Amino acid sequence: MNFIRNTIAVLIGLGITGLIITLGIRAFPQWVTFEAFAPFEHWQRFLFSMKDDKAFFGFLLFISGLGTTIGGVATAIIVKYAKVAYAILIGFIMLFIAMLDVIIFPYHPTFYKISIFLTFFPFSWIGGKIVEVIYERNKKKSIADKMNKSK
């Protein structure tokens, strides 16, 4: 049963990450060069139109980090054990997708190609640590409350 729960958690985390990245790209109307909701349907044409826009790729790194953090938090909340490990899994999957993107489409600037390694993994780890710290605090608080009630 934990396998199903963990698989669903990872899928939800990836979905949230993808949604945040999509909404981030659509946040600026001057970047929208497509009709569909998801920019990924026309990704090659979209990247070609953005190849000289360094601000777009910087923002894409930022929104990818934010999305990966929130996706990692969502995954860590759902899984029962190894919260940080599953959050990091979100970062590795997103890093793999970003590496495929960089390999398949040659329109990314060099700083973006290097920075994806510094974005996805650490931000997903931060998402997992946020949940772990909150859960540990709640556990300590409930133990302290139980000890105070027994006095």
Side-chain angles (χ1 to χ4, degrees), residues 44-79:
Q44 183 173 4
R45 188 170 30 142
F46 178 65
L47 282 179
F48 182 75
S49 68
M50 293 290 150
K51 70 179 178 180
D52 297 324
D53 191 352
K54 306 291 188 229
F56 167 75
F57 287 101
F59 182 75
L60 184 59
L61 283 171
F62 167 74
I63 203 68
S64 296
L66 180 67
T68 307
T69 302
I70 295 172
V73 166
T75 301
I77 287 172
I78 296 170
V79 298

Side-chain angles (χ1 to χ4, degrees), residues 103-119:
I103 291 168
I104 294 171
F105 303 112
Y107 310 116
H108 300 84
T110 304
F111 83 90
Y112 180 83
K113 294 174 184 178
I114 295 168
S115 298
I116 60 172
F117 294 98
L118 305 171
T119 302

Side-chain angles (χ1 to χ4, degrees), residues 87-136:
I88 290 173
L89 179 61
I90 298 297
F92 278 130
I93 293 171
M94 292 305 296
L95 177 62
F96 179 73
I97 292 170
M99 286 175 27
L100 283 176
D101 178 42
V102 166
I103 291 168
I104 294 171
F105 303 112
Y107 310 116
H108 300 84
T110 304
F111 83 90
Y112 180 83
K113 294 174 184 178
I114 295 168
S115 298
I116 60 172
F117 294 98
L118 305 171
T119 302
F120 291 105
F121 175 71
F123 280 88
S124 63
W125 175 79
I126 288 169
K129 287 306 271 183
I130 288 169
V131 173
E132 187 177 70
V133 166
I134 290 170
Y135 273 66
E136 288 298 318

Side-chain angles (χ1 to χ4, degrees), residues 15-25 63-64 66-68 70-71:
I16 289 172
T17 303
L19 181 66
I20 289 172
I21 293 171
T22 299
L23 293 174
I25 291 171
I63 203 68
S64 296
L66 180 67
T68 307
I70 295 172

